[in-house]
């Protein structure tokens, strides 16, 4: 494997594939914090040139964490379709990129080939792509999934209704729930980040969500984003109604240990919700991810944050999730410094997740100390919908009062649907029309009027 090139009259030589992968990455403050980023734009281009000549076989043989040391690596490597892998292993990353972008390469061809890929191959390909490349290729890879309803079908765009409250006050939560549904949000999931993640509180919120969903016959999914073990205990102890099991996951075993999660816990959660949950399935897992998580936990093994994020998707694929949400700007400027880096990360994540075979969505968001603003996030949201994003997060006025960060708002979801000529998930679309909130795909004057839900 040749890891050197001459460029701009200068000889560049890299010590390892790990170094090439890090320095070929677009500028990220997290990679700089880790001390692995390219020193200049010229060195970044040189690393990309070298990476373009690396074969897919080279990448498979160089996982970010050795097979013997890491269960995430074992899950990814053991899941490779060896027949398909043998067909593509001699391709270079540059050749594979060209194949993905070729106008004659179809969705079916990509979906089959993806079964022979590892996360490192997918990350390497993303590093050679421009933003438009990521959008164009991502659009070619729809990934639907089915829980109670089906997300990701052509012509649809969904949202998670996120009614967080600073004290988990039931009245405050339900006020946000009613407003959100009236704007056409929540067809992906009605999901709360709890302040109190005790088993009793989680079960109480789930029961309230389930009662509201059933009373108004809303075709959607419900979830409370507590730890997987808390959700399992809520089912066992209180018979809590759960449509999906949530968990944040990582791209390394050490990273997952920082989240307090193991593969067996995820298997147990998936098993119990399939047996005792309120869903119809078969896709019953909800994962959240985000670039920089492994670095923040000192669990990246010297590799860059794009590669570790790709490994997170390779790990999550094992559990056939209904939705995977990359929370791009939540960790902070130490990992993604400004709007440009947040935008790049969102497009990379969606591309890598979809190429892995996951039903991807995004929380296009930022904390208040990142050098970005709401226009940047609306730009990203628009690009993500163009890329074929299954869903985005929606919070009241784009401001989450509990998590203290900014995201996309309830009103952004119908606007994006109208701009792109998209509709909500089919059953939810029909429900909105039945309730009078929309007509022929557009909101009516009842939109935003939560008092409709107080009529009976």
């Amino acid at each position: 494997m040749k890891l050197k090139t001459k460029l701009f009259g200068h000889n560049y030589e890299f010590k390892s594939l790990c170094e090439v992968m890090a320095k070929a990455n677009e500028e990220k403050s997290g990679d700089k914090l880790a001390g692995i980023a390219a020193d200049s734009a010229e060195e970044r281009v040189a690393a990309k040139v070298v990476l373009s000549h690396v074969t897919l076989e080279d990448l498979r043989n160089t996982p970010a964490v050795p097979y013997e040391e890491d269960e995430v690596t074992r899950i990814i490597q053991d899941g490779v379709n060896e027949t398909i892998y043998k067909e593509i292993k001699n391709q270079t990353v540059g050749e594979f990129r060209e194949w993905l972008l070729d106008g004659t390469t179809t969705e079916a061809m990509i979906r089959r080939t993806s079964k022979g890929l590892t996360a490192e191959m997918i990350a390497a390909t993303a590093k050679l792509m421009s933003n438009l490349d990521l959008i164009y290729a991502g659009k070619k890879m729809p990934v639907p999934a089915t829980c109670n309803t089906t997300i990701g079908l052509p012509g649809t765009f969904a949202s998670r209704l996120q009614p967080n409250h600073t004290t988990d006050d039931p009245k405050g939560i339900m006020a946000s729930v009613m407003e959100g549904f009236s704007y056409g949000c929540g067809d992906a999931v009605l999901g709360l980040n709890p302040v109190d993640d005790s088993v009793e509180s989680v079960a109480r919120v789930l029961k309230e969500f389930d009662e509201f969903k059933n009373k108004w016959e809303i075709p959607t999914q419900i979830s409370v984003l507590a730890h997987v073990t808390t959700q399992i205990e809520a089912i066992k102890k209180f018979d809590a109604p759960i449509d999906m099991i949530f968990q944040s996951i990582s791209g390394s075993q050490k990273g997952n240990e920082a989240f307090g999660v193991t593969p067996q816990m995820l298997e147990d959660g998936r098993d119990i919700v399939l047996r005792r949950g309120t869903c119809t399935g078969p896709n019953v897992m909800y994962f959240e991810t985000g670039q920089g998580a492994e670095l923040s936990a000192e669990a990246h093994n010297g590799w860059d944050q794009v590669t570790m994020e790709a490994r997170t998707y390779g790990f999550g694929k094992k559990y056939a999730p209904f939705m995977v949400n990359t929370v791009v700007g939540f960790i902070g400027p130490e990992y993604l410094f400004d709007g440009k880096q947040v935008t790049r990360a969102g497009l990379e994540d969606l591309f890598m997740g979809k190429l892995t075979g996951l039903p991807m969505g995004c929380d296009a968001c930022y904390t208040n100390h990142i050098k970005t603003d709401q226009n940047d996030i609306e730009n990203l949201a628009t690009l993500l919908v163009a890329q074929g994003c299954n869903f985005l997060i929606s919070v009241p006025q784009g401001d989450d009062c509990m998590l203290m960060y900014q995201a996309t708002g309830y009103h952004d979801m119908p606007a994006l649907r109208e701009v792109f000529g998209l509709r909500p998930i089919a059953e939810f679309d029909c429900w909105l029309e039945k309730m009078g909130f929309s007509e022929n795909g557009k909101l009516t004057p009842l939109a935003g009027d939560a008092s409709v839900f107080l009529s009976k």
Side-chain angles (χ1 to χ4, degrees), residues 13 27 36 49 56 59 69 72 75 77 105 172 181 194 236 239 243 245 266 304 364 376 414 425 430 437 451:
E13 186 167 358
E27 185 175 357
I36 60 176
V49 170
L56 301 184
L59 287 157
E69 300 175 12
V72 171
I75 285 170
Q77 294 278 358
T105 301
F181 276 129
K236 289 180 177 179
D239 200 25
D243 291 325
I245 289 287
L266 299 179
D304 64 277
D376 290 326
I425 291 174
C430 292
F437 294 132
S451 68

Side-chain angles (χ1 to χ4, degrees), residues 256-305:
N256 282 324
E257 288 169 353
F259 284 132
V261 65
T262 66
Q264 189 58 55
M265 289 178 188
L266 299 179
E267 292 283 6
D268 292 346
R270 185 168 183 266
D271 176 67
I272 196 169
V273 80
L274 285 171
R275 289 186 294 106
R276 295 179 56 180
T278 47
C279 57
T280 54
N283 307 116
V284 296
M285 303 297 284
Y286 172 12
F287 294 136
E288 285 196 347
T289 72
Q291 289 189 29
E294 295 80 15
L295 177 58
S296 69
E298 298 183 353
H300 64 111
N301 201 40
W303 284 67
D304 64 277
Q305 59 192 48

Side-chain angles (χ1 to χ4, degrees), residues 115-386:
K115 295 179 174 65
L117 301 174
T118 66
E120 287 78 9
M121 302 176 197
I122 291 170
T125 307
K127 293 169 189 292
L128 298 187
M129 289 190 159
S130 70
N131 286 5
L132 183 56
D133 291 341
L134 295 170
I135 293 169
Y136 179 78
K139 183 67 174 178
K140 295 169 72 171
M141 300 183 285
V143 184
T146 301
C147 188
N148 293 329
T149 58
T150 299
I151 201 169
L153 291 176
T156 66
F157 164 61
S159 73
R160 169 187 159 193
L161 199 171
Q162 183 170 298
N164 295 344
H165 191 275
T166 52
T167 62
D168 284 349
D169 177 71
K171 291 182 179 179
I173 291 171
M174 295 313 297
S176 290
V177 167
M178 288 183 263
E179 181 186 26
F181 276 129
S182 75
Y183 273 117
C185 302
D187 48 338
V189 63
L190 168 59
L192 178 86
N193 296 90
V195 174
D196 179 357
D197 60 355
S198 66
V199 175
E200 294 79 5
S201 181
V202 168
R204 174 185 60 79
V205 175
L206 282 166
K207 288 180 179 180
E208 191 152 5
F209 281 178
D210 187 62
E211 289 172 3
F212 185 83
K213 182 183 76 169
N214 291 332
K215 176 180 179 180
W216 294 97
E217 300 177 326
I218 306 173
T220 190
Q221 292 72 219
I222 62 170
S223 179
V224 172
L225 283 65
H227 192 271
V228 57
T229 54
T230 304
Q231 296 166 83
I232 291 172
E233 192 62 22
I235 295 175
K236 289 180 177 179
K237 189 173 181 180
F238 295 103
D239 200 25
I242 294 182
D243 291 325
M244 288 189 293
I245 289 287
F246 163 83
Q247 183 57 49
S248 294
I249 58 172
S250 173
S252 70
Q253 180 175 334
K254 189 176 179 181
N256 282 324
E257 288 169 353
F259 284 132
V261 65
T262 66
Q264 189 58 55
M265 289 178 188
L266 299 179
E267 292 283 6
D268 292 346
R270 185 168 183 266
D271 176 67
I272 196 169
V273 80
L274 285 171
R275 289 186 294 106
R276 295 179 56 180
T278 47
C279 57
T280 54
N283 307 116
V284 296
M285 303 297 284
Y286 172 12
F287 294 136
E288 285 196 347
T289 72
Q291 289 189 29
E294 295 80 15
L295 177 58
S296 69
E298 298 183 353
H300 64 111
N301 201 40
W303 284 67
D304 64 277
Q305 59 192 48
V306 169
T307 301
M308 297 309 294
E309 181 73 1
R311 285 171 54 86
T312 305
Y313 302 142
F315 173 62
K317 181 181 179 180
K318 175 180 172 65
Y319 305 96
F322 176 73
M323 52 194 292
V324 178
N325 179 36
T326 171
V327 191
V328 291
F330 185 73
I331 302 181
E334 302 88 347
Y335 307 96
L336 298 171
F337 180 73
D338 56 16
K340 182 177 181 179
Q341 292 187 17
V342 169
T343 296
R344 175 70 187 188
L347 298 177
E348 288 169 339
D349 293 355
L350 206 69
F351 165 80
M352 294 191 299
K354 293 179 80 172
L355 184 53
T356 304
L358 295 178
M360 290 296 299
C362 182
D363 190 350
C365 65
Y366 62 101
T367 53
N368 288 311
H369 57 314
I370 287 183
K371 190 178 180 181
T372 189
D373 59 28
Q374 203 67 19
N375 280 331
D376 290 326
I377 292 307
E378 290 180 8
N379 288 346
L380 173 57
T382 304
L383 293 173
L384 290 166
V385 178

Side-chain angles (χ1 to χ4, degrees), residues 70-110:
D70 188 88
E71 60 198 4
V72 171
T73 300
R74 292 193 288 274
I75 285 170
I76 293 170
Q77 294 278 358
D78 294 350
V80 171
N81 182 305
E82 297 295 341
T83 299
I84 296 172
Y85 167 70
K86 289 175 183 176
E87 296 172 4
I88 62 173
K89 68 177 186 177
N90 293 323
Q91 287 186 35
T92 65
V93 179
E95 289 169 342
F96 183 64
R97 169 191 174 275
E98 292 298 319
W99 178 80
L100 282 175
L101 295 173
D102 193 304
T104 63
T105 301
T106 65
E107 171 193 342
M109 293 163 66
I110 296 172

Side-chain angles (χ1 to χ4, degrees), residues 31-43:
D31 293 335
K32 287 186 175 182
L33 178 65
I36 60 176
D39 292 328
S40 64
E42 289 82 2
E43 187 180 31

